[in-house]
Every structure is written in C-alpha cells, then in structure tokens.
Amino acid sequence: MSDSGLNERASLLLKALVERYIRDGQPVGSRTLSRESALEVSPATIRNVMADLEELGLVASPHTSAGRIPTAAGLRVFVDGLVTVKPLQRKIAEEIETSFAEPVDSSQELVTNASKLLSQVTHLAGVVTMPRSTHAQLRQIEFLPLSGNRVLAIIVVNSREVQNRILNLDRHYTESELRQAANYLTEQFSGNEVDDVRDRLIDELKQARQSMNSMMLNAISMAQRAFEQGEKEDCVIAGKTNLMDIAELSDVEKLRQLFEVFNRKRDILHLLDQSSSAEGVQIFIGKESGYAPLNECSVVSAPYAVDDEVLGVLGVIGPTRMAYERVIPIVDVTARLLGKALKTG
Amino acid sequence: MSDSGLNERASLLLKALVERYIRDGQPVGSRTLSRESALEVSPATIRNVMADLEELGLVASPHTSAGRIPTAAGLRVFVDGLVTVKPLQRKIAEEIETSFAEPVDSSQELVTNASKLLSQVTHLAGVVTMPRSTHAQLRQIEFLPLSGNRVLAIIVVNSREVQNRILNLDRHYTESELRQAANYLTEQFSGNEVDDVRDRLIDELKQARQSMNSMMLNAISMAQRAFEQGEKEDCVIAGKTNLMDIAELSDVEKLRQLFEVFNRKRDILHLLDQSSSAEGVQIFIGKESGYAPLNECSVVSAPYAVDDEVLGVLGVIGPTRMAYERVIPIVDVTARLLGKALKTG
DNA sequence: TTTTGGCAGTCTGGCACCTAGAGTGCTAAT
DNA sequence: ATTAGCACTCTAGGTGCCAGACTGCCAAAA
C-alpha cells in the first residue's frame, strides 16, 4: 500500500479520514483525526497535511468551518492502496455458503439468488448479469404444434437450461413432420455449442438449398428462427430499496432518476461489461461510471467465470461512502462461488 | 348523483373543492371556491357550508388559517356520487387500442404490457394480476430427459401457455419410457381442464395402485408432481417510479415502505382480490385498503373476465388526490380489453 | 330565515438577526 | 518540523417580526 506520491503520514491520515467519513458521513475535523489516527500529532499539524491533501484534490471541505470529506479522487486513492480489506465475518461467510448450497432449477434462479444474497449481506443493491451462454451445449430440440401455424420450439441446453420460443410459421406442419424435424436436428447438432449451431444453421441454409430434401430444409429454417431471437441480454437487480436510506440521495429527484436507470437495464449492463475484462474486483467511484444518475454512487463489481472463461459480472451499487473493506471480499467470494455453482449445474 | 345526505349546494361545493384540491394539492379557501364554483354565493356563505362539511367529517383544515382539504370520507362521497367521469380522450383511447393490437407470445406478456400501459396513460403505478388459469385446457404433456434422474416436464395449456417444470425423480427413466408416459398422459387428459386433471391425478393415484401397470403409475405420479407446484400467484407492477413524484410521499421513509410492499407482492395481490368479486371499477381510498403503507394512496381497480368469468384484477395505485375522473374510465376500458385479448389468445 | 359584509383573530412562510459551536488558516514560538 | 494560540468564517438553530391568507362570528340586509 501507500504508493500514490504521498508520504506515509499523509497516507495514514487520508486513510483514517476516509474510514471515519465512511462510518458516519460527516466531515472530519483535525481534532477528531488527531484523536482517531494512531499518529501522535497535534491538530495543527494535521491541518497542514490536510491543506496539502486539499491541494492534491483528495479532500475538500464543504465550507470554511467544516472538516474535510474525501473527494472521488481521494476515495480512489483509498481503495487503490490504503484500504485494509477485512476478512469475511464468519456469519456472513456462512450465509453466503448456505445460499449457494440451495438447490436450483435454472441458472436464472441461481442469478436471482446471488443478487438477493449480495443485497442482503451488504445492505446495498445487488446486481448480477445473466451468464453468457457461450459454451452452452445443445442437448435437444423439440417442436410441439400449437394452434394454427404456430409451433413451440423447446431448446434444451447443457443440462439445466430450457428455452421456449413460439414460432409463427408460413404453413401448418403435422405432428410427424415436426417430430422428424426435431429428431433430425437433435441428431445433427446435439453436443455442439449453441453459437456454433447458430452459425452452421445459417451456412447450411445458404449453401445447400438444392441438395436437401424439404423436410431437412424446413427443420433447419425453423431451428434458425428459434435461435435467432437470441438471448435477451439482461441482469437482475435486488434490494433497490436499500438505496432509499442513504442520505446522499435524500433528494427524491435523484432517487427517481436512479430508479429509472434500474428500469432501463441496458445502461447498467453496459457499465458492468467494462468490468468483465478485468481480473478480480473492480470499483467505480462516483462519476467514474460515466452515468449521471450514478454520480453519487459507487459500484463494486467482479466478473464470474467457469473454467477461466468469464460468463458475466456481478456486484453491488451503493453510496460512494460504502464500507469498501467489507464489500470487496463479499463481492469477491460471491463471484467465485457463483462461478463454481454454474459449473456443477 | 348527490345522495349522501347533503343538500345540493353542499354537494356542489364539495365537488368543486375536491376537484380543485385534486388539481393542485393545496388547501382550498372560501374565496377561491366562491370564484370556482358555478354557484353565485359569497365566501361567507361558503364558510358556513364548510363548517357543516367539517362537522360531517368530509373536509378538514390543516390549521386555523388555511383552506379546507377533503378527508378520506370526503373523497369517498366524491367518487361515490359526485364525480363526473370524463369520457376517454381520443388520444388515450388510441394508445390503449394500439397497445392491445400488438401481437404477444404469452398471457404473461399480455399482462406486462397492460401494466405498463396503465402506468403510462395514468402517470401512476399500474398493477395487473396474472390471470387465474382455471378453464385452462391441457393440450399436451412432454417429458424430456435431463442429466441424472432429472426430467423436464413441459405442459402446454390452451394454445399459448407453456410451463416447464424440472422433476428430480427417484430413478433414471429411459427416453422411451418417458415418451410412453407422455403419450399416455396426453391421450388420457388432453382437452380437460388443468384443475380437473390435477384432481383426477390424485384420485387415480390413490384408488388404482394395483390395477395399473407400472408405466402408467409412473406417468401419473410424474404428472402429479409436475402439477402440484401449482401456479405461483403473482402480479406485475409497472411505473413505480411515477409514485416518487407525488408530494404526499416526499417523505423518503414512506416511499421506502411503499416500495417494500411492492416487493412483497402477496399483500398487493390480497388487496386486489377483494375487488375480484365486485362488478366494474372499485376504489379504495387511503386506509380503506387496510395496508398501512398504502395509507396515503388510493387504488382504482377492476376485475377482468373472459366469458363472464373473472380471471384477475387490474388497476392503478396513486395518491389519494389522483384524477379519478380520468383514471376510472381508463381502468375500466383496459380491463375490458384485457379480457377480450385473453379470449382470442 | 338565509345570506352577506365586516372585523378581529390565528396561523404560516419568509426575512432579518443573533449566538454558540466547530473548525480553519496563519503566525510566532519551540 | 511541529505546535500553541488567536482571529476569522461558516453553519445550525433560535427568536422576533411582518405580510398574507383564511377563518369564525356577529350584526345587518334580503
């Protein structure tokens, strides 16, 4: 720790200041800091250091006779080098483990649970993106006839995911036609990855129009339509109400904007994607996220992976003065366990 | 209108007062009311009438020198007899119709759209319960083998709904076993109503253990397990953020409680169920709902039905001073159209 | 008997003012 | 380099005051 161009004493004081500020959200004065920090220095000395830190843009005072609060830059320095990450509390570690021990029917459910878990243990908003279904092996395709020209396509992936698509087709297909098509497709493509299947379907449809019998052609065209709707990108946000307490957002208008961002999940998703290429826990403080409604918020996120391949991102959203030293390990271990849970699934 | 034990003038004045109060949320004074109402009476006279209304508990003044605001009881009298319901604005009627004209894949989607629609046109929160799936005809059952002892049960209902259930069975079943079972069940029960099927399954399993071959027994037991998880009662709430504007809830704590109720949907569902036995639009004002977090809110709801059978309830949630004369017809027509849309589905 | 004008009384909201408390910046001494 | 001391600044909260908005009541008018 402590390499940010600051001498050791300045670092220590910044750390103490941030910790205190995170605890009770009030500007911290020199007298308090003098008592708080292990350093045995007088308030006056601290005032000098504070003046330096202010010069560097790491702290600011809301007005002349208030203490200092850390700026976004100050928090950045704090999380980058000063924070001493607390080991997980026993109780919380257990809570996380039992949550992942519960049986689930789908990765959708797994993701929902993880999101709720994050929000519960951090008392902030938890957010988890749906896992990218790359490396998803197609297991089976079924077509069931519905009324009219509509057909229900059922796609079984890996051993847990099931997707339904309703297709509106050009003509009526008999039950046996559909069965044949399904059998053909399952035989042909089962065991392959979904992405590959999608590509191969397109190829075959283009190249081999003549050389195939109409049954196969129909099958492939149906399958293609079933696949092309693709996975709707999405994420699960839990515990939004936890954010209503935090004083920084006491302004109802800001709260409102924040909640509207939660409805348009695309933006959140995009933000988290930035984190998917990073290794381990990443933190966005205030404006770093690039989204105005999140200006007063921080995001602590981590990618989760199966067999070293990143499938998605999870994290929490909270006020910039969140308890990073507690949240970081929680996000970290949750990401690991979610990866593990997805693998066994 | 006007039979609430009030003479005509008092009614007219109450009506004018409520309308004015709904418009701008301020206490209404006698001078204003004298100008506003068609009646040609002096403020002094109005003050006398107001004193009477206050005696009856229909209006109240926040403090000595403020105007009057209607109490919950006053609003009750207003919506019960005084309100002149506005015909739907052309623009809004069109918006509703085009919304229902859109093609949908499932009644889930239909309900979601209706909820969003309600919130959009009223600028309040829209809420729609999922339709009870009584009179849902079973069309088809399929079992697909998953890994281990797990089986995916697919139940096609009516011609649009598809339900997936994952069953953890006691032993492994071969693909042909599963196919046989599915065929048997589909032949046996297709065309029957889901509720009946559930009942009959239980009966057959109890009565005829000996007389059936094991294949049929297995099939029935599987089907029973697939059905017993039952429909999870649920409802869709859209446009919650619209409620963040309303001044009555500027208190963040109240807002928070309200939003937490939205997460525990059961309570909302229970409230709306009260309305499902009523005919047409029903209104709950403030505490009438019986849920403390909704004390500052009104709910305007209407059951929706297919072929005279009520399948669910929809409505809007907003401040007690919502524009009832606009909202009532919107809820009314949306309920009708949702019923119609479900029928054709 | 009902309605009205007038008047006294009351309450809010905004403004100006004050004070105590907290904390800073600067300077001079250690 | 650090510290004590002092003057200064700013906020939060309290008080007093005034204009404005209503009401309630009473007595006069219809």
Side-chain angles (χ1 to χ4, degrees):
Chain A
M1 84 181 218
S2 115
D3 193 21
S4 41
L6 298 175
N7 64 49
E8 190 158 351
R9 192 174 62 183
S11 296
L12 239 60
L13 284 175
L14 179 58
K15 183 183 175 194
L17 181 140
V18 171
E19 283 169 350
R20 173 80 189 204
Y21 174 71
I22 284 175
R23 259 229 311 288
D24 50 44
Q26 297 286 317
V28 186
S30 56
R31 171 194 298 272
T32 316
L33 218 44
S34 143
R35 266 186 275 106
E36 201 88 341
S37 79
L39 260 40
E40 300 241 333
V41 284
S42 76
T45 310
I46 291 182
R47 286 203 282 278
N48 291 327
V49 179
M50 286 302 138
D52 298 348
L53 290 177
E54 187 155 5
E55 190 91 6
L56 293 169
L58 302 181
V59 302
S61 51
H63 57 84
T64 336
S65 84
R68 305 300 212 294
I69 60 176
T71 61
L75 287 171
R76 179 85 268 164
V77 170
F78 175 74
V79 301
D80 277 351
L82 303 178
V83 60
T84 40
V85 173
K86 284 191 183 171
L88 274 186
Q89 283 177 275
R90 163 84 68 75
K91 220 179 87 189
I92 288 183
E94 279 171 14
E95 192 172 348
I96 295 177
E97 274 162 30
T98 54
S99 167
F100 277 107
E102 284 185 15
V104 289
D105 276 354
S106 65
S107 59
Q108 160 79 45
E109 201 179 337
L110 209 48
V111 161
T112 308
N113 286 350
S115 186
K116 282 182 188 161
L117 177 67
L118 282 171
S119 79
Q120 265 176 34
V121 296
T122 62
H123 304 293
L124 302 171
V127 44
V128 184
T129 67
M130 292 296 291
R132 274 170 48 220
S133 54
T134 172
H135 283 266
Q137 280 193 359
L138 179 66
R139 295 260 313 195
Q140 195 166 351
I141 291 185
E142 291 289 323
F143 294 118
L144 300 184
L146 299 179
S147 66
N149 292 344
R150 292 186 311 168
V151 167
L152 172 69
I154 297 162
I155 304 171
V156 183
V157 169
N158 284 342
S159 58
R160 185 194 272 159
E161 310 304 324
V162 184
Q163 293 173 30
N164 298 328
R165 299 276 157 65
I166 292 180
L167 309 177
N168 285 297
L169 300 179
D170 49 339
R171 69 166 176 88
H172 182 75
Y173 288 79
T174 68
E175 207 160 321
S176 80
E177 276 181 303
L178 292 174
R179 173 155 299 170
Q180 279 187 352
N183 286 343
Y184 167 73
L185 288 167
T186 302
E187 274 171 39
Q188 198 75 359
F189 294 105
S190 177
N192 290 312
E193 301 203 356
V194 173
D195 286 345
D196 295 347
V197 173
R198 200 196 322 251
D199 295 345
R200 276 175 58 194
L201 282 170
I202 294 174
D203 283 355
E204 299 211 10
L205 198 58
K206 272 187 196 155
Q207 295 176 1
R209 277 191 188 276
Q210 307 87 342
S211 66
M212 269 192 281
N213 70 38
S214 71
M215 189 278 286
M216 281 156 60
L217 203 63
N218 281 328
I220 286 181
S221 118
M222 276 190 269
Q224 203 204 332
R225 292 190 53 189
F227 275 109
E228 76 194 358
Q229 292 176 247
E231 58 245 77
K232 49 168 192 271
E233 51 174 1
D234 213 355
C235 63
V236 177
I237 307 177
K240 300 174 209 176
T241 47
N242 285 339
L243 298 186
M244 298 182 64
D245 292 331
I246 72 180
E248 285 82 349
L249 293 173
S250 60
D251 179 5
V252 179
E253 182 51 26
K254 278 186 193 154
L255 248 186
R256 184 201 149 91
Q257 287 178 357
L258 187 58
F259 273 64
E260 278 177 359
V261 168
F262 289 157
N263 287 347
R264 287 191 308 279
K265 293 182 180 177
R266 322 221 162 249
D267 294 349
I268 299 285
L269 216 62
H270 187 259
L271 164 61
L272 290 179
D273 271 350
Q274 297 172 19
S275 162
S276 70
S277 54
E279 189 109 344
V281 176
Q282 217 185 2
I283 301 178
F284 300 87
I285 298 168
K287 303 189 180 178
E288 292 174 2
S289 69
Y291 286 102
L294 289 178
N295 272 354
E296 330 272 327
C297 293
S298 282
V299 180
V300 176
S301 66
Y304 61 86
V306 171
D307 295 333
D308 289 334
E309 190 189 13
V310 172
L311 296 189
V313 179
L314 57 72
V316 305
I317 299 176
T320 48
R321 57 169 274 260
M322 74 168 77
Y324 296 99
E325 81 281 358
R326 257 175 26 85
V327 170
I328 290 171
I330 291 173
V331 169
D332 191 40
V333 69
T334 306
R336 284 182 218 280
L337 289 181
L338 179 55
K340 204 185 282 182
L342 280 169
K343 182 171 184 178
T344 64
Chain B
M1 83 179 217
S2 117
D3 195 20
S4 43
L6 297 176
N7 63 48
E8 189 158 353
R9 192 173 61 181
S11 295
L12 239 58
L13 283 175
L14 178 59
K15 184 182 174 194
L17 181 140
V18 171
E19 284 170 350
R20 174 80 189 203
Y21 174 72
I22 284 176
R23 259 230 312 288
D24 51 44
Q26 297 287 317
V28 187
S30 57
R31 173 196 295 271
T32 316
L33 217 45
S34 142
R35 264 186 276 110
E36 202 88 339
S37 78
L39 260 41
E40 302 242 332
V41 284
S42 77
T45 311
I46 291 182
R47 286 202 282 278
N48 291 328
V49 180
M50 285 301 137
D52 297 347
L53 291 177
E54 186 154 5
E55 190 92 5
L56 293 170
L58 302 182
V59 302
S61 52
H63 57 83
T64 337
S65 84
R68 303 304 210 296
I69 60 177
T71 62
L75 287 171
R76 179 86 268 164
V77 171
F78 175 75
V79 301
D80 278 350
L82 303 178
V83 60
T84 39
V85 173
K86 284 189 184 173
L88 274 188
Q89 285 176 273
R90 164 83 66 76
K91 218 179 88 189
I92 289 184
E94 279 171 13
E95 192 172 347
I96 295 178
E97 275 163 30
T98 55
S99 167
F100 277 107
E102 283 186 14
V104 289
D105 276 353
S106 66
S107 59
Q108 161 78 47
E109 199 180 336
L110 209 48
V111 161
T112 307
N113 285 351
S115 187
K116 282 182 190 164
L117 177 67
L118 282 170
S119 78
Q120 264 176 35
V121 297
T122 63
H123 303 291
L124 302 171
V127 43
V128 185
T129 67
M130 291 296 292
R132 275 170 46 220
S133 54
T134 172
H135 283 269
Q137 280 193 359
L138 179 66
R139 293 261 313 197
Q140 194 167 353
I141 290 184
E142 291 290 323
F143 294 119
L144 299 185
L146 299 179
S147 66
N149 291 344
R150 294 186 309 168
V151 167
L152 172 69
I154 297 162
I155 303 171
V156 183
V157 167
N158 285 341
S159 58
R160 184 195 274 157
E161 309 304 323
V162 184
Q163 293 174 29
N164 298 328
R165 298 275 155 66
I166 290 181
L167 309 177
N168 285 298
L169 301 179
D170 50 338
R171 69 164 175 89
H172 182 75
Y173 288 79
T174 68
E175 206 160 324
S176 83
E177 277 182 304
L178 293 174
R179 172 154 299 169
Q180 279 187 351
N183 285 343
Y184 168 73
L185 288 167
T186 302
E187 274 171 34
Q188 199 74 2
F189 295 105
S190 176
N192 290 311
E193 301 202 358
V194 173
D195 287 344
D196 295 348
V197 173
R198 198 194 326 251
D199 295 344
R200 275 175 59 193
L201 282 170
I202 294 173
D203 284 355
E204 298 211 8
L205 197 59
K206 271 187 195 155
Q207 295 175 3
R209 277 191 189 276
Q210 307 86 341
S211 66
M212 266 192 283
N213 70 40
S214 71
M215 187 280 285
M216 282 157 60
L217 203 62
N218 281 328
I220 286 179
S221 122
M222 277 191 269
Q224 207 204 328
R225 293 190 52 191
F227 276 109
E228 76 195 357
Q229 291 176 250
E231 58 243 77
K232 48 170 195 270
E233 52 175 1
D234 213 356
C235 62
V236 176
I237 307 177
K240 300 173 207 175
T241 47
N242 285 339
L243 297 185
M244 298 181 64
D245 291 332
I246 73 181
E248 284 82 348
L249 293 174
S250 60
D251 180 5
V252 180
E253 183 50 29
K254 278 186 194 155
L255 248 186
R256 185 199 147 90
Q257 287 179 358
L258 187 58
F259 272 64
E260 276 176 1
V261 169
F262 288 157
N263 287 347
R264 290 190 306 280
K265 293 183 179 176
R266 324 221 158 245
D267 294 351
I268 299 286
L269 216 63
H270 187 259
L271 164 61
L272 289 179
D273 271 351
Q274 296 174 19
S275 162
S276 70
S277 54
E279 188 108 348
V281 175
Q282 217 185 4
I283 300 178
F284 301 87
I285 297 169
K287 302 189 181 179
E288 292 174 3
S289 69
Y291 286 102
L294 289 178
N295 273 354
E296 331 271 328
C297 293
S298 283
V299 180
V300 177
S301 66
Y304 61 86
V306 171
D307 295 334
D308 288 333
E309 190 188 13
V310 172
L311 296 189
V313 179
L314 58 73
V316 303
I317 299 175
T320 47
R321 56 169 274 261
M322 73 169 78
Y324 296 98
E325 81 280 359
R326 254 176 28 85
V327 170
I328 290 172
I330 291 173
V331 169
D332 191 41
V333 69
T334 306
R336 285 181 217 281
L337 288 182
L338 179 56
K340 203 185 282 182
L342 280 168
K343 183 169 185 178
T344 63

